[in-house]
Amino acid sequence: MPFPPSERERAACADMIANAERVARFVAGFTLETFEADERTQFAVVRCLKIISEASRRLSAETRARYPAVPWRQIADAGNFYRHSYHRVTLDIVWLTVHHELPVLVAACRAEIARAPDS
């Protein structure tokens, strides 16, 4: 039987959920076109994605393996891309990440937090 998530992993999941929720608030009512025209929102969203990337690195391999639908490697690598290849970030990919990848990630994080500790 797998161990319940550690406090470190619970905190990482909570950070990922909180930042994904921020992103959802930031882009509420936006289209791709209005997102592309709003530099402040772009910066806020990318900042949250960097935090999500960093938090994802705090999960164990066992935890990540429980959620194979989540592209953990790409999430972890994305932070480096946002930091070091910022000039190559394409907003349509950010937009797709926000709308297609974050909901899957949030569902996995919520499931992980909900796992009951051993009694």
Side-chain angles (χ1 to χ4, degrees):
M1 172 153 67
F3 292 104
S6 68
E7 283 308 309
R8 173 183 164 97
E9 289 186 314
R10 283 182 187 276
C13 286
D15 288 345
M16 287 185 275
I17 292 167
N19 279 282
E21 289 173 345
R22 279 187 191 102
V23 166
R25 287 192 307 273
F26 292 157
V27 301
F30 278 66
T31 63
L32 174 58
E33 293 74 26
T34 55
F35 177 66
E36 289 175 328
D38 190 325
E39 185 178 78
R40 184 178 300 169
T41 301
Q42 295 165 23
F43 273 70
V45 167
V46 170
R47 170 70 177 142
C48 288
L49 293 176
K50 287 179 194 176
I51 294 169
I52 290 168
S53 172
E54 195 59 35
S56 76
R57 294 168 181 260
R58 298 193 324 246
L59 300 180
S60 68
E62 178 184 279
T63 297
R64 291 189 308 267
R66 275 194 289 281
Y67 307 99
V70 177
W72 296 111
R73 185 84 220 138
Q74 291 90 339
I75 291 168
D77 290 347
N80 287 333
F81 185 80
Y82 294 135
R83 280 187 290 281
H84 304 294
S85 297
Y86 55 86
H87 58 286
R88 293 180 34 219
V89 172
T90 56
L91 296 176
D92 58 332
I93 299 299
V94 171
W95 187 255
L96 289 172
T97 299
V98 166
H99 289 90
H100 297 285
E101 302 300 334
L102 288 187
V104 176
L105 173 71
V106 167
C109 287
R110 289 188 193 287
E112 188 61 19
I113 288 173
R115 289 182 54 239
D118 291 338
S119 302

